[in-house]
Amino acid sequence: MTDTDDLLRLENQLCFAVVTAARNVVAIYRPILEPLGLTHPQYLVMLALWERAPRSLNDLAADLALEPATASPLVKRLEADGLVARQRSSEDERR
């Protein structure tokens, strides 16, 4: 095996280490969040809303480093569970 091949080994990839660490963090939170009926992404949404609310979906998504199309279902589920309320802006109904 050459040095280049060694660099390409899965165990030497930073992206693999980051994904593994993220999965481990979510696994640590799971038993804490399950009794609350929250997933880890939903928990992050709630944290962002506790910091500042009300706020637009675009603003929330930006703070969470998500696309609005990804954040929207999270917020809709939280609303269905009675944890948040969504309201259209009277100034701009798209918000």
Side-chain angles (χ1 to χ4, degrees):
M1 184 173 278
T2 67
D3 288 340
T4 302
D5 291 338
D6 194 44
L7 290 174
L8 296 175
R9 293 178 58 94
L10 182 61
E11 64 195 32
N12 294 331
Q13 297 298 306
L14 177 62
C15 60
F16 180 68
V18 169
V19 167
T20 302
R23 193 172 35 238
N24 290 335
V25 168
V26 171
I28 291 167
Y29 275 87
R30 188 172 293 117
I32 299 164
L33 297 175
E34 271 184 0
L36 301 174
L38 293 174
T39 63
H40 191 259
Q42 290 170 334
Y43 174 64
L44 296 177
V45 169
M46 295 299 291
L47 286 175
L49 291 172
W50 285 324
E51 285 182 11
R52 191 172 75 251
R55 61 199 304 185
S56 71
L57 182 65
N58 285 340
D59 178 53
L60 178 65
D63 278 0
L64 294 169
L66 296 173
E67 292 294 322
T70 302
S72 182
L74 293 169
V75 174
K76 284 181 182 179
R77 174 67 192 268
L78 292 169
E79 182 182 39
D81 290 344
L83 296 172
V84 301
R86 293 183 303 152
Q87 183 177 2
R88 292 213 183 268
S89 168
S90 59
E91 295 148 11
D92 183 353
E93 289 195 10
R94 296 170 295 175
R95 293 177 49 151

